[in-house]
Structures are given as C-alpha cells and as structure tokens.
Amino acid sequence: MKTLTNTFLSCSVRTEDAEIVAAVERYLIQFGFRCFTVGRNYSIVGTPNQAVKNLIEQVDCLIGVATIRYSATDQSNPNNTLSLATPYITAESAMAFQADIPYVIIRTDGITLEATAKENIYITIAPNLNDGKLQFRDSKETISTLLNDLYSKAQKRALSRKIRTTQSVVGKISTAILGGAAIWKGFSWAAQPECLGQFYYKDEVCKTCKYKNKCKAKKSINNSNAN
C-alpha cells in the first residue's frame, strides 16, 4: 500500500455532484491520494476562502473535478455555448500553480476549462457513472502514468516540506537555547552588587558575598598595576 499523500480535491460540493465526486475519491485512493475538500471533509473557523488558503498550505498536490455548473455564451461567437465548472476550480488550481503545487484536472465531457486549469494536462470522464464506477475517455495506461507521475511529484514535495519544517524547528530550538543563555547571562549580570571590584575579597565587608572571587580577580589586576 502506498504512503498516502495529502491532496486538495477541488470540486463542486453540491448534492447533485456528490456521487461522481465520491467515485473519483474512491478511485484516487488506490493511487495513494488522501483527498480533502473544503465544505466536504475539511473546515476551519473562518471564511471559505481562508479555509481554502489554509488547506493549500497543508497539501502536496491538487486534483480538480470539473463538473458542469454554468452554461455561458461566447460574446464573440453567440452560437457557441460553453459549459463551465464551479469557479473554485479555476481559483484553486491557480493557487496551486502559484504555490508550485503539482495538479491534475479531471473534467466531465464537454466542460470548458479556463485559465491555469485549461493549460494543464487533464483527464476526461463521462458525466454519469456506470454501476457506481467512473467511465474514462482516456486509456487506463495514460491515466495510470499521469496519476503515478503526480503522486511521485507530490511525494518529493512532501519530503522537501518535511525537511524545511525540521530545519525550522531546529533553528527555533537553537535560537531559544541561545536566547535563554543570553537571558541567564543578563540576569547574572543584573544580580551582581554595584560594589563589585571596589573591595579586596578578604575585606570584612566581602566575607559573606558570593561574588567575592570576581572581586579577587579584579583586585589582583589593580595590585599588579600599582606595583
């Protein structure tokens, strides 16, 4: 069994799309992708956009599922009607691209992808399931190659992120240790009596002072200068 990689599943959360999204999630698990979607199985205290941003920072790849949401007309070609997915597909794939997160888009027949989603390699499926299973328009070999490549890139990103996190933790610990030493040194200095170095350590006034050895050193230097 492959080590599961945390994956942002960018998709519609509408009830009518739940069945096909669930089928995609079941299919992806065999390739090692553990899927999270804002509004389905991931949430934080905050706005949806804040949740999306937070999830992007925790995953190592993104897979979009583009199902039809809108029908639009091309103003330059009124006879051309476009089928568009939820705009979150475009926004979230753009965020993945900006964060250098590898991603792949799965679209249903006839969907027109836009922006970064359009520029990337994508997989096409039928808009309906066959006995609860996805119907792919691409060959199994093509799909396997693409998803295995995505998994490999995600694992490399996960390793790199883990190394950076470890380095950051070590750095913070080192800073805390050095900072603690500096604070302790500061406390020690502040605790010294103002008369330090002004009396000879064998003087009566110094007998009970725990800093008298430091006075001894300074007094010795003064004596050597005097001689």
mmCIF file of all heavy atoms in Angstrom, residues 52-98:
data_model
loop_
_atom_site.group_PDB
_atom_site.id
_atom_site.type_symbol
_atom_site.label_atom_id
_atom_site.label_comp_id
_atom_site.label_asym_id
_atom_site.label_seq_id
_atom_site.Cartn_x
_atom_site.Cartn_y
_atom_site.Cartn_z
ATOM 1 N N VAL A 52 -9.699 27.542 2.226
ATOM 2 C CA VAL A 52 -9.008 27.117 1.009
ATOM 3 C C VAL A 52 -7.519 27.422 1.119
ATOM 4 O O VAL A 52 -6.667 26.572 0.838
ATOM 5 C CB VAL A 52 -9.607 27.813 -0.229
ATOM 6 C CG1 VAL A 52 -8.709 27.602 -1.450
ATOM 7 C CG2 VAL A 52 -11.008 27.272 -0.526
ATOM 8 N N LYS A 53 -7.196 28.644 1.534
ATOM 9 C CA LYS A 53 -5.794 29.055 1.679
ATOM 10 C C LYS A 53 -5.078 28.169 2.693
ATOM 11 O O LYS A 53 -3.940 27.743 2.471
ATOM 12 C CB LYS A 53 -5.721 30.521 2.108
ATOM 13 C CG LYS A 53 -4.313 31.087 2.209
ATOM 14 C CD LYS A 53 -4.367 32.563 2.550
ATOM 15 C CE LYS A 53 -2.959 33.158 2.608
ATOM 16 N NZ LYS A 53 -2.153 32.582 3.704
ATOM 17 N N ASN A 54 -5.738 27.879 3.798
ATOM 18 C CA ASN A 54 -5.149 27.057 4.844
ATOM 19 C C ASN A 54 -4.895 25.633 4.354
ATOM 20 O O ASN A 54 -3.846 25.041 4.633
ATOM 21 C CB ASN A 54 -6.068 27.037 6.068
ATOM 22 C CG ASN A 54 -5.383 26.501 7.298
ATOM 23 O OD1 ASN A 54 -4.507 27.140 7.863
ATOM 24 N ND2 ASN A 54 -5.767 25.310 7.725
ATOM 25 N N LEU A 55 -5.840 25.084 3.600
ATOM 26 C CA LEU A 55 -5.692 23.727 3.087
ATOM 27 C C LEU A 55 -4.581 23.653 2.040
ATOM 28 O O LEU A 55 -3.807 22.685 2.015
ATOM 29 C CB LEU A 55 -7.020 23.244 2.490
ATOM 30 C CG LEU A 55 -7.046 21.805 1.948
ATOM 31 C CD1 LEU A 55 -6.582 20.801 3.004
ATOM 32 C CD2 LEU A 55 -8.442 21.446 1.447
ATOM 33 N N ILE A 56 -4.501 24.658 1.190
ATOM 34 C CA ILE A 56 -3.436 24.713 0.175
ATOM 35 C C ILE A 56 -2.065 24.594 0.837
ATOM 36 O O ILE A 56 -1.150 23.942 0.308
ATOM 37 C CB ILE A 56 -3.524 26.025 -0.642
ATOM 38 C CG1 ILE A 56 -4.613 25.921 -1.716
ATOM 39 C CG2 ILE A 56 -2.190 26.365 -1.299
ATOM 40 C CD1 ILE A 56 -4.265 25.045 -2.907
ATOM 41 N N GLU A 57 -1.917 25.183 2.005
ATOM 42 C CA GLU A 57 -0.631 25.173 2.698
ATOM 43 C C GLU A 57 -0.301 23.813 3.319
ATOM 44 O O GLU A 57 0.837 23.572 3.716
ATOM 45 C CB GLU A 57 -0.635 26.250 3.788
ATOM 46 C CG GLU A 57 -0.690 27.673 3.233
ATOM 47 C CD GLU A 57 -0.909 28.717 4.318
ATOM 48 O OE1 GLU A 57 -1.174 28.312 5.476
ATOM 49 O OE2 GLU A 57 -0.832 29.916 4.004
ATOM 50 N N GLN A 58 -1.287 22.913 3.376
ATOM 51 C CA GLN A 58 -1.092 21.629 4.037
ATOM 52 C C GLN A 58 -1.008 20.441 3.088
ATOM 53 O O GLN A 58 -0.716 19.324 3.525
ATOM 54 C CB GLN A 58 -2.237 21.379 5.031
ATOM 55 C CG GLN A 58 -2.322 22.409 6.136
ATOM 56 C CD GLN A 58 -3.459 22.116 7.102
ATOM 57 O OE1 GLN A 58 -3.601 21.007 7.602
ATOM 58 N NE2 GLN A 58 -4.283 23.115 7.360
ATOM 59 N N VAL A 59 -1.258 20.650 1.802
ATOM 60 C CA VAL A 59 -1.277 19.542 0.848
ATOM 61 C C VAL A 59 -0.035 19.548 -0.031
ATOM 62 O O VAL A 59 0.718 20.525 -0.065
ATOM 63 C CB VAL A 59 -2.541 19.593 -0.036
ATOM 64 C CG1 VAL A 59 -3.798 19.514 0.822
ATOM 65 C CG2 VAL A 59 -2.564 20.857 -0.898
ATOM 66 N N ASP A 60 0.143 18.443 -0.756
ATOM 67 C CA ASP A 60 1.299 18.323 -1.651
ATOM 68 C C ASP A 60 0.910 18.161 -3.113
ATOM 69 O O ASP A 60 1.770 18.049 -3.980
ATOM 70 C CB ASP A 60 2.175 17.159 -1.196
ATOM 71 C CG ASP A 60 2.768 17.429 0.178
ATOM 72 O OD1 ASP A 60 3.479 18.433 0.326
ATOM 73 O OD2 ASP A 60 2.493 16.658 1.109
ATOM 74 N N CYS A 61 -0.390 18.131 -3.387
ATOM 75 C CA CYS A 61 -0.861 18.145 -4.772
ATOM 76 C C CYS A 61 -2.343 18.515 -4.787
ATOM 77 O O CYS A 61 -2.990 18.536 -3.727
ATOM 78 C CB CYS A 61 -0.638 16.796 -5.471
ATOM 79 S SG CYS A 61 -1.631 15.437 -4.811
ATOM 80 N N LEU A 62 -2.839 18.818 -5.964
ATOM 81 C CA LEU A 62 -4.257 19.162 -6.126
ATOM 82 C C LEU A 62 -4.824 18.397 -7.309
ATOM 83 O O LEU A 62 -4.158 18.261 -8.347
ATOM 84 C CB LEU A 62 -4.431 20.667 -6.338
ATOM 85 C CG LEU A 62 -5.860 21.182 -6.554
ATOM 86 C CD1 LEU A 62 -6.049 22.553 -5.889
ATOM 87 C CD2 LEU A 62 -6.228 21.278 -8.036
ATOM 88 N N ILE A 63 -6.031 17.879 -7.142
ATOM 89 C CA ILE A 63 -6.757 17.234 -8.235
ATOM 90 C C ILE A 63 -8.127 17.896 -8.321
ATOM 91 O O ILE A 63 -8.870 17.940 -7.337
ATOM 92 C CB ILE A 63 -6.906 15.720 -8.012
ATOM 93 C CG1 ILE A 63 -5.523 15.059 -7.956
ATOM 94 C CG2 ILE A 63 -7.752 15.090 -9.121
ATOM 95 C CD1 ILE A 63 -5.553 13.574 -7.648
ATOM 96 N N GLY A 64 -8.440 18.438 -9.481
ATOM 97 C CA GLY A 64 -9.729 19.091 -9.671
ATOM 98 C C GLY A 64 -10.725 18.154 -10.337
ATOM 99 O O GLY A 64 -10.356 17.329 -11.168
ATOM 100 N N VAL A 65 -11.973 18.275 -9.948
ATOM 101 C CA VAL A 65 -13.057 17.519 -10.586
ATOM 102 C C VAL A 65 -14.037 18.545 -11.149
ATOM 103 O O VAL A 65 -14.823 19.139 -10.406
ATOM 104 C CB VAL A 65 -13.778 16.588 -9.590
ATOM 105 C CG1 VAL A 65 -14.832 15.754 -10.329
ATOM 106 C CG2 VAL A 65 -12.785 15.681 -8.878
ATOM 107 N N ALA A 66 -13.977 18.761 -12.453
ATOM 108 C CA ALA A 66 -14.779 19.794 -13.108
ATOM 109 C C ALA A 66 -16.068 19.205 -13.665
ATOM 110 O O ALA A 66 -16.065 18.519 -14.688
ATOM 111 C CB ALA A 66 -13.971 20.461 -14.225
ATOM 112 N N THR A 67 -17.169 19.449 -12.956
ATOM 113 C CA THR A 67 -18.498 19.052 -13.426
ATOM 114 C C THR A 67 -19.254 20.310 -13.823
ATOM 115 O O THR A 67 -18.925 21.416 -13.389
ATOM 116 C CB THR A 67 -19.263 18.315 -12.307
ATOM 117 O OG1 THR A 67 -19.246 19.124 -11.107
ATOM 118 C CG2 THR A 67 -18.608 16.971 -11.998
ATOM 119 N N ILE A 68 -20.287 20.165 -14.636
ATOM 120 C CA ILE A 68 -20.967 21.340 -15.174
ATOM 121 C C ILE A 68 -21.692 22.123 -14.084
ATOM 122 O O ILE A 68 -22.379 21.562 -13.246
ATOM 123 C CB ILE A 68 -21.957 20.944 -16.303
ATOM 124 C CG1 ILE A 68 -22.528 22.205 -16.955
ATOM 125 C CG2 ILE A 68 -23.031 20.015 -15.779
ATOM 126 C CD1 ILE A 68 -23.290 21.923 -18.227
ATOM 127 N N ARG A 69 -21.506 23.426 -14.100
ATOM 128 C CA ARG A 69 -22.174 24.327 -13.172
ATOM 129 C C ARG A 69 -22.958 25.398 -13.932
ATOM 130 O O ARG A 69 -24.083 25.715 -13.593
ATOM 131 C CB ARG A 69 -21.147 24.979 -12.245
ATOM 132 C CG ARG A 69 -21.683 26.103 -11.351
ATOM 133 C CD ARG A 69 -22.647 25.585 -10.291
ATOM 134 N NE ARG A 69 -22.007 24.669 -9.385
ATOM 135 C CZ ARG A 69 -21.345 25.030 -8.277
ATOM 136 N NH1 ARG A 69 -21.228 26.303 -7.973
ATOM 137 N NH2 ARG A 69 -20.831 24.109 -7.479
ATOM 138 N N TYR A 70 -22.345 25.948 -14.984
ATOM 139 C CA TYR A 70 -22.973 27.035 -15.730
ATOM 140 C C TYR A 70 -22.939 26.764 -17.239
ATOM 141 O O TYR A 70 -22.040 26.078 -17.732
ATOM 142 C CB TYR A 70 -22.252 28.366 -15.487
ATOM 143 C CG TYR A 70 -22.132 28.763 -14.049
ATOM 144 C CD1 TYR A 70 -20.898 28.709 -13.410
ATOM 145 C CD2 TYR A 70 -23.238 29.213 -13.337
ATOM 146 C CE1 TYR A 70 -20.771 29.082 -12.077
ATOM 147 C CE2 TYR A 70 -23.121 29.582 -12.011
ATOM 148 C CZ TYR A 70 -21.890 29.514 -11.384
ATOM 149 O OH TYR A 70 -21.755 29.885 -10.069
ATOM 150 N N SER A 71 -23.904 27.351 -17.948
ATOM 151 C CA SER A 71 -23.876 27.415 -19.407
ATOM 152 C C SER A 71 -23.665 28.878 -19.767
ATOM 153 O O SER A 71 -24.363 29.757 -19.256
ATOM 154 C CB SER A 71 -25.181 26.900 -20.023
ATOM 155 O OG SER A 71 -25.313 25.514 -19.797
ATOM 156 N N ALA A 72 -22.684 29.143 -20.620
ATOM 157 C CA ALA A 72 -22.347 30.524 -20.973
ATOM 158 C C ALA A 72 -22.254 30.669 -22.488
ATOM 159 O O ALA A 72 -22.019 29.695 -23.208
ATOM 160 C CB ALA A 72 -21.023 30.918 -20.339
ATOM 161 N N THR A 73 -22.452 31.898 -22.943
ATOM 162 C CA THR A 73 -22.371 32.196 -24.372
ATOM 163 C C THR A 73 -21.132 33.029 -24.651
ATOM 164 O O THR A 73 -20.871 34.018 -23.954
ATOM 165 C CB THR A 73 -23.620 32.965 -24.842
ATOM 166 O OG1 THR A 73 -24.780 32.179 -24.578
ATOM 167 C CG2 THR A 73 -23.546 33.253 -26.334
ATOM 168 N N ASP A 74 -20.396 32.627 -25.654
ATOM 169 C CA ASP A 74 -19.220 33.381 -26.076
ATOM 170 C C ASP A 74 -19.696 34.622 -26.830
ATOM 171 O O ASP A 74 -20.340 34.511 -27.878
ATOM 172 C CB ASP A 74 -18.354 32.495 -26.968
ATOM 173 C CG ASP A 74 -17.029 33.153 -27.319
ATOM 174 O OD1 ASP A 74 -16.925 34.390 -27.217
ATOM 175 O OD2 ASP A 74 -16.099 32.421 -27.706
ATOM 176 N N GLN A 75 -19.399 35.807 -26.303
ATOM 177 C CA GLN A 75 -19.873 37.038 -26.918
ATOM 178 C C GLN A 75 -19.331 37.239 -28.329
ATOM 179 O O GLN A 75 -19.969 37.866 -29.169
ATOM 180 C CB GLN A 75 -19.493 38.236 -26.037
ATOM 181 C CG GLN A 75 -20.182 38.258 -24.689
ATOM 182 C CD GLN A 75 -21.694 38.338 -24.826
ATOM 183 O OE1 GLN A 75 -22.221 39.217 -25.522
ATOM 184 N NE2 GLN A 75 -22.394 37.421 -24.169
ATOM 185 N N SER A 76 -18.149 36.701 -28.590
ATOM 186 C CA SER A 76 -17.567 36.825 -29.929
ATOM 187 C C SER A 76 -18.171 35.814 -30.904
ATOM 188 O O SER A 76 -18.035 35.952 -32.117
ATOM 189 C CB SER A 76 -16.047 36.627 -29.859
ATOM 190 O OG SER A 76 -15.461 37.608 -29.044
ATOM 191 N N ASN A 77 -18.793 34.803 -30.347
ATOM 192 C CA ASN A 77 -19.400 33.762 -31.172
ATOM 193 C C ASN A 77 -20.692 33.296 -30.488
ATOM 194 O O ASN A 77 -20.711 32.288 -29.786
ATOM 195 C CB ASN A 77 -18.423 32.599 -31.348
ATOM 196 C CG ASN A 77 -18.946 31.536 -32.300
ATOM 197 O OD1 ASN A 77 -20.002 31.705 -32.916
ATOM 198 N ND2 ASN A 77 -18.209 30.447 -32.407
ATOM 199 N N PRO A 78 -21.787 34.035 -30.669
ATOM 200 C CA PRO A 78 -23.042 33.762 -29.962
ATOM 201 C C PRO A 78 -23.590 32.350 -30.173
ATOM 202 O O PRO A 78 -24.387 31.875 -29.360
ATOM 203 C CB PRO A 78 -24.003 34.809 -30.539
ATOM 204 C CG PRO A 78 -23.119 35.903 -31.029
ATOM 205 C CD PRO A 78 -21.893 35.218 -31.540
ATOM 206 N N ASN A 79 -23.186 31.700 -31.228
ATOM 207 C CA ASN A 79 -23.663 30.340 -31.488
ATOM 208 C C ASN A 79 -22.895 29.286 -30.690
ATOM 209 O O ASN A 79 -23.239 28.106 -30.700
ATOM 210 C CB ASN A 79 -23.552 30.016 -32.985
ATOM 211 C CG ASN A 79 -24.481 30.886 -33.824
ATOM 212 O OD1 ASN A 79 -25.587 31.181 -33.397
ATOM 213 N ND2 ASN A 79 -24.014 31.292 -35.003
ATOM 214 N N ASN A 80 -21.844 29.739 -30.004
ATOM 215 C CA ASN A 80 -21.010 28.824 -29.239
ATOM 216 C C ASN A 80 -21.376 28.898 -27.759
ATOM 217 O O ASN A 80 -21.108 29.889 -27.092
ATOM 218 C CB ASN A 80 -19.527 29.184 -29.443
ATOM 219 C CG ASN A 80 -18.611 28.207 -28.736
ATOM 220 O OD1 ASN A 80 -18.983 27.076 -28.441
ATOM 221 N ND2 ASN A 80 -17.402 28.655 -28.444
ATOM 222 N N THR A 81 -22.021 27.861 -27.255
ATOM 223 C CA THR A 81 -22.399 27.799 -25.839
ATOM 224 C C THR A 81 -21.372 26.968 -25.077
ATOM 225 O O THR A 81 -21.033 25.855 -25.482
ATOM 226 C CB THR A 81 -23.792 27.167 -25.670
ATOM 227 O OG1 THR A 81 -24.746 27.968 -26.378
ATOM 228 C CG2 THR A 81 -24.187 27.124 -24.195
ATOM 229 N N LEU A 82 -20.904 27.519 -23.976
ATOM 230 C CA LEU A 82 -19.866 26.858 -23.190
ATOM 231 C C LEU A 82 -20.455 26.261 -21.914
ATOM 232 O O LEU A 82 -21.355 26.826 -21.294
ATOM 233 C CB LEU A 82 -18.775 27.858 -22.817
ATOM 234 C CG LEU A 82 -18.151 28.669 -23.959
ATOM 235 C CD1 LEU A 82 -17.157 29.678 -23.398
ATOM 236 C CD2 LEU A 82 -17.476 27.751 -24.963
ATOM 237 N N SER A 83 -19.919 25.119 -21.518
ATOM 238 C CA SER A 83 -20.274 24.506 -20.242
ATOM 239 C C SER A 83 -19.110 24.730 -19.280
ATOM 240 O O SER A 83 -17.980 24.326 -19.571
ATOM 241 C CB SER A 83 -20.529 23.003 -20.418
ATOM 242 O OG SER A 83 -21.654 22.787 -21.250
ATOM 243 N N LEU A 84 -19.397 25.381 -18.164
ATOM 244 C CA LEU A 84 -18.345 25.764 -17.232
ATOM 245 C C LEU A 84 -18.551 25.098 -15.869
ATOM 246 O O LEU A 84 -19.684 24.839 -15.456
ATOM 247 C CB LEU A 84 -18.319 27.280 -17.053
ATOM 248 C CG LEU A 84 -18.154 28.113 -18.326
ATOM 249 C CD1 LEU A 84 -18.246 29.600 -17.984
ATOM 250 C CD2 LEU A 84 -16.841 27.806 -19.019
ATOM 251 N N ALA A 85 -17.449 24.848 -15.189
ATOM 252 C CA ALA A 85 -17.488 24.257 -13.844
ATOM 253 C C ALA A 85 -17.558 25.359 -12.802
ATOM 254 O O ALA A 85 -17.548 26.553 -13.127
ATOM 255 C CB ALA A 85 -16.249 23.389 -13.633
ATOM 256 N N THR A 86 -17.608 24.978 -11.532
ATOM 257 C CA THR A 86 -17.561 25.956 -10.455
ATOM 258 C C THR A 86 -16.300 26.802 -10.574
ATOM 259 O O THR A 86 -15.223 26.275 -10.886
ATOM 260 C CB THR A 86 -17.585 25.258 -9.077
ATOM 261 O OG1 THR A 86 -17.301 26.227 -8.061
ATOM 262 C CG2 THR A 86 -16.555 24.155 -8.989
ATOM 263 N N PRO A 87 -16.407 28.107 -10.364
ATOM 264 C CA PRO A 87 -15.217 28.970 -10.493
ATOM 265 C C PRO A 87 -14.119 28.627 -9.494
ATOM 266 O O PRO A 87 -12.972 29.032 -9.674
ATOM 267 C CB PRO A 87 -15.779 30.377 -10.247
ATOM 268 C CG PRO A 87 -17.082 30.175 -9.550
ATOM 269 C CD PRO A 87 -17.619 28.885 -10.060
ATOM 270 N N TYR A 88 -14.442 27.879 -8.446
ATOM 271 C CA TYR A 88 -13.419 27.489 -7.483
ATOM 272 C C TYR A 88 -12.368 26.575 -8.124
ATOM 273 O O TYR A 88 -11.225 26.530 -7.673
ATOM 274 C CB TYR A 88 -14.049 26.797 -6.272
ATOM 275 C CG TYR A 88 -14.491 27.774 -5.204
ATOM 276 C CD1 TYR A 88 -15.811 28.196 -5.122
ATOM 277 C CD2 TYR A 88 -13.573 28.287 -4.294
ATOM 278 C CE1 TYR A 88 -16.209 29.105 -4.146
ATOM 279 C CE2 TYR A 88 -13.958 29.185 -3.312
ATOM 280 C CZ TYR A 88 -15.284 29.596 -3.249
ATOM 281 O OH TYR A 88 -15.672 30.503 -2.286
ATOM 282 N N ILE A 89 -12.761 25.840 -9.174
ATOM 283 C CA ILE A 89 -11.778 25.005 -9.881
ATOM 284 C C ILE A 89 -10.662 25.889 -10.439
ATOM 285 O O ILE A 89 -9.472 25.591 -10.301
ATOM 286 C CB ILE A 89 -12.445 24.220 -11.030
ATOM 287 C CG1 ILE A 89 -13.431 23.190 -10.490
ATOM 288 C CG2 ILE A 89 -11.394 23.555 -11.916
ATOM 289 C CD1 ILE A 89 -12.798 21.989 -9.853
ATOM 290 N N THR A 90 -11.062 26.994 -11.063
ATOM 291 C CA THR A 90 -10.089 27.928 -11.637
ATOM 292 C C THR A 90 -9.257 28.591 -10.543
ATOM 293 O O THR A 90 -8.028 28.663 -10.642
ATOM 294 C CB THR A 90 -10.804 29.011 -12.468
ATOM 295 O OG1 THR A 90 -11.571 28.389 -13.499
ATOM 296 C CG2 THR A 90 -9.804 29.959 -13.099
ATOM 297 N N ALA A 91 -9.933 29.061 -9.499
ATOM 298 C CA ALA A 91 -9.231 29.772 -8.426
ATOM 299 C C ALA A 91 -8.265 28.866 -7.683
ATOM 300 O O ALA A 91 -7.107 29.237 -7.427
ATOM 301 C CB ALA A 91 -10.250 30.371 -7.450
ATOM 302 N N GLU A 92 -8.706 27.661 -7.336
ATOM 303 C CA GLU A 92 -7.874 26.770 -6.537
ATOM 304 C C GLU A 92 -6.716 26.187 -7.339
ATOM 305 O O GLU A 92 -5.615 26.001 -6.801
ATOM 306 C CB GLU A 92 -8.754 25.672 -5.930
ATOM 307 C CG GLU A 92 -9.664 26.225 -4.841
ATOM 308 C CD GLU A 92 -10.839 25.341 -4.493
ATOM 309 O OE1 GLU A 92 -10.993 24.267 -5.109
ATOM 310 O OE2 GLU A 92 -11.631 25.725 -3.608
ATOM 311 N N SER A 93 -6.926 25.908 -8.615
ATOM 312 C CA SER A 93 -5.810 25.442 -9.443
ATOM 313 C C SER A 93 -4.791 26.561 -9.643
ATOM 314 O O SER A 93 -3.583 26.313 -9.711
ATOM 315 C CB SER A 93 -6.315 24.926 -10.796
ATOM 316 O OG SER A 93 -6.950 25.951 -11.540
ATOM 317 N N ALA A 94 -5.271 27.808 -9.708
ATOM 318 C CA ALA A 94 -4.360 28.951 -9.825
ATOM 319 C C ALA A 94 -3.528 29.098 -8.550
ATOM 320 O O ALA A 94 -2.331 29.401 -8.607
ATOM 321 C CB ALA A 94 -5.147 30.228 -10.092
ATOM 322 N N MET A 95 -4.149 28.879 -7.394
ATOM 323 C CA MET A 95 -3.422 28.947 -6.131
ATOM 324 C C MET A 95 -2.372 27.839 -6.054
ATOM 325 O O MET A 95 -1.261 28.060 -5.557
ATOM 326 C CB MET A 95 -4.403 28.839 -4.963
ATOM 327 C CG MET A 95 -5.316 30.040 -4.823
ATOM 328 S SD MET A 95 -6.574 29.822 -3.536
ATOM 329 C CE MET A 95 -5.561 29.881 -2.057
ATOM 330 N N ALA A 96 -2.726 26.654 -6.547
ATOM 331 C CA ALA A 96 -1.764 25.546 -6.563
ATOM 332 C C ALA A 96 -0.583 25.884 -7.468
ATOM 333 O O ALA A 96 0.579 25.657 -7.118
ATOM 334 C CB ALA A 96 -2.449 24.269 -7.042
ATOM 335 N N PHE A 97 -0.870 26.446 -8.629
ATOM 336 C CA PHE A 97 0.182 26.839 -9.566
ATOM 337 C C PHE A 97 1.101 27.881 -8.938
ATOM 338 O O PHE A 97 2.323 27.797 -9.047
ATOM 339 C CB PHE A 97 -0.451 27.396 -10.844
ATOM 340 C CG PHE A 97 0.551 27.898 -11.851
ATOM 341 C CD1 PHE A 97 1.251 27.003 -12.655
ATOM 342 C CD2 PHE A 97 0.791 29.249 -11.995
ATOM 343 C CE1 PHE A 97 2.177 27.461 -13.586
ATOM 344 C CE2 PHE A 97 1.717 29.713 -12.920
ATOM 345 C CZ PHE A 97 2.408 28.816 -13.716
ATOM 346 N N GLN A 98 0.509 28.861 -8.258
ATOM 347 C CA GLN A 98 1.283 29.921 -7.616
ATOM 348 C C GLN A 98 2.171 29.365 -6.515
ATOM 349 O O GLN A 98 3.300 29.831 -6.306
ATOM 350 C CB GLN A 98 0.335 30.978 -7.039
ATOM 351 C CG GLN A 98 1.029 32.180 -6.433
ATOM 352 C CD GLN A 98 1.739 33.033 -7.469
ATOM 353 O OE1 GLN A 98 1.344 33.052 -8.639
ATOM 354 N NE2 GLN A 98 2.786 33.731 -7.058
#
